[in-house]
Amino acid sequence: MRGLIDITDFSVEEIDSLIDVANDIIDNPKKYSEKCKGKKLATLFFEPSTRTRLSFEAAMYELGGNVIGFSEASSSSSTKGESVADTAKVISCYADIIAMRHPKEGSAYVAMKNATIPVINAGDGGHCHPTQTLADLLTIYREKGSFDNLTVGLCGDLKFGRTVHSLIGALSRYSGIKFVLISPEELKLPSYVKNDVLKKNNLPYIQTTSLEDVIGELDVLYMTRVQRERFFNEEDYLRLKDSYILDLKKLSLAKDNLSVMHPLPRVNEISVAVDNDPRACYFKQVLYGKYMRMALILKLLEEAEK
Ligand code: CP
């Protein structure tokens, strides 16, 4: 059964088509209000979430469907030792589609292999977060009109930031993209992303530790949170957590048409004063996530019925 585990599971044409559907939903919401009548989405969240879980649930309700699920591992039978594989088989008896978040890398793939309904990866450890990438792509498309020839800065925790890994995978398939990787030495992009995506596709990129040095070159600046939950050592987290704080002074060095993005939640990475700057896109990004998840649910349920 087809699901979405990694953003590159979908072709560029399929992603472009999801963007078209999401734009149509924005323009004509009533046309979609009963498309999933009688269908159930199961949200299986073994890790905390505000945006992803609630936007999936809002997406299904706005399509006329229903939602079942749990929002923490402690309220599921995983605490009694049930495996992800068994959970996926069980939920396949109750629902039509699954959105699952889990702290372990590869868990969504295991769920997909064992479910008889589509599985959507809503974040698996430090690996991937493909539906955040769908939100990011719609945001970039609506802000810039195209994905080609953009200089995209990714700033913060590039090591554990699963949204960064998925976004690089998605953007690497468009032409003329240049990446600027801004991080402390300890939180650099993992070599598997660098080798398998950037080097393999001959994509231009630079690595730097200074946001100020490069902010003026960027079309998109994607800020990220230092991921406390992925650190083994609290001291390292405390030392690195405030490495980059985007404030109005730094933003004054940027282009007038820069798009500032962040998958959220934000801790200190973007000063609240930046929220009122027209270049701040991160709350629009939240809203666009719901529309892309609506388009995704529609696509996967249509394919499952074939
Ligand atoms: N961006 C994101 O995944 O947010 P949540 O953790 O709140 O779902």
Side-chain angles (χ1 to χ4, degrees):
M1 180 61 61
R2 193 163 190 228
L4 177 63
I5 305 302
D6 187 308
I7 194 69
T8 52
D9 294 345
F10 283 4
S11 66
V12 170
E13 292 72 28
E14 286 181 303
I15 287 177
D16 290 348
S17 166
L18 285 177
I19 289 172
D20 288 346
V21 173
N23 280 322
D24 195 46
I25 294 170
I26 292 169
D27 293 339
N28 306 291
K30 278 202 177 135
K31 197 170 122 187
Y32 294 87
S33 64
E34 298 208 349
K35 290 269 186 197
C36 287
K37 208 171 169 184
K39 298 288 183 190
K40 285 192 287 280
L41 165 74
T43 51
L44 314 182
F45 277 64
F46 296 87
E47 251 196 353
S49 165
T50 296
R51 273 146 296 275
T52 311
R53 184 173 67 83
L54 295 179
S55 68
F56 262 117
E57 296 190 357
M60 194 55 166
Y61 285 125
E62 289 185 28
L63 291 167
N66 287 302
V67 179
I68 58 172
F70 51 83
S71 57
E72 49 188 48
S74 63
S75 62
S76 80
S77 285
S78 66
T79 51
K80 302 174 208 161
E82 187 162 59
S83 66
V84 166
D86 281 1
T87 303
K89 285 178 189 160
V90 168
I91 301 301
S92 297
C93 302
Y94 303 145
D96 301 284
I97 186 164
I98 291 172
M100 188 180 95
R101 171 171 289 186
H102 197 283
K104 269 201 185 144
E105 291 79 4
S107 52
Y109 180 77
V110 172
M112 185 184 72
K113 283 289 168 197
N114 286 279
T116 54
I117 57 176
V119 173
I120 301 168
N121 181 5
D124 61 333
H127 182 220
C128 286
H129 193 349
T131 66
Q132 178 62 48
T133 305
L134 293 178
D136 301 342
L137 291 174
L138 182 61
T139 308
I140 294 172
Y141 184 80
R142 288 180 71 95
E143 292 297 312
K144 302 292 182 203
S146 152
F147 299 111
D148 295 332
N149 303 314
L150 295 174
T151 299
V152 179
L154 299 147
C155 179
D157 183 352
L158 309 190
K159 180 178 180 185
F160 297 114
R162 58 193 176 194
T163 61
V164 167
H165 308 161
S166 291
L167 185 58
I168 289 176
L171 288 176
S172 67
R173 301 187 294 181
Y174 296 92
S175 63
I177 296 271
K178 183 177 162 196
F179 291 105
V180 180
L181 308 174
I182 309 147
S183 74
E185 280 297 320
E186 293 95 326
L187 297 178
K188 278 162 88 171
L189 195 70
S191 52
Y192 81 88
V193 183
K194 230 179 284 169
N195 294 333
D196 297 353
V197 184
L198 299 179
K199 289 185 181 163
K200 192 171 159 192
N201 295 301
N202 287 321
L203 291 168
Y205 70 92
I206 58 165
Q207 295 188 102
T208 176
T209 54
S210 168
L211 175 58
E212 289 92 325
D213 283 358
V214 294
I215 193 168
E217 298 168 27
L218 307 177
D219 301 307
V220 173
L221 172 58
Y222 194 91
M223 297 296 293
T224 63
R225 174 177 66 93
V226 174
Q227 313 238 330
R228 178 181 218 149
E229 63 274 32
R230 313 265 176 243
F231 274 78
F232 293 112
N233 178 336
E234 180 75 1
E235 269 174 33
D236 286 347
Y237 167 73
L238 293 173
R239 183 169 50 81
L240 294 169
K241 71 183 176 69
D242 291 330
S243 298
Y244 302 101
I245 299 175
L246 180 65
D247 54 17
L248 290 175
K249 190 169 168 219
K250 290 193 192 94
L251 198 55
S252 70
L253 304 171
K255 290 180 185 173
D256 290 342
N257 64 349
L258 173 72
S259 299
V260 179
M261 298 173 62
H262 191 310
L264 304 181
R266 142 178 77 181
V267 185
N268 279 330
E269 311 80 54
I270 302 179
S271 149
V272 173
V274 172
D275 295 0
N276 295 325
D277 190 288
R279 291 169 284 188
C281 298
Y282 29 93
F283 290 110
K284 285 189 240 178
Q285 204 177 336
V286 171
L287 181 61
Y288 295 151
K290 180 185 72 175
Y291 296 118
M292 283 303 261
R293 290 179 177 109
M294 289 172 80
L296 175 64
I297 291 169
L298 283 173
K299 174 182 171 62
L300 290 176
L301 286 178
E302 271 169 26
E303 286 186 16
E305 275 173 15
K306 278 183 191 158

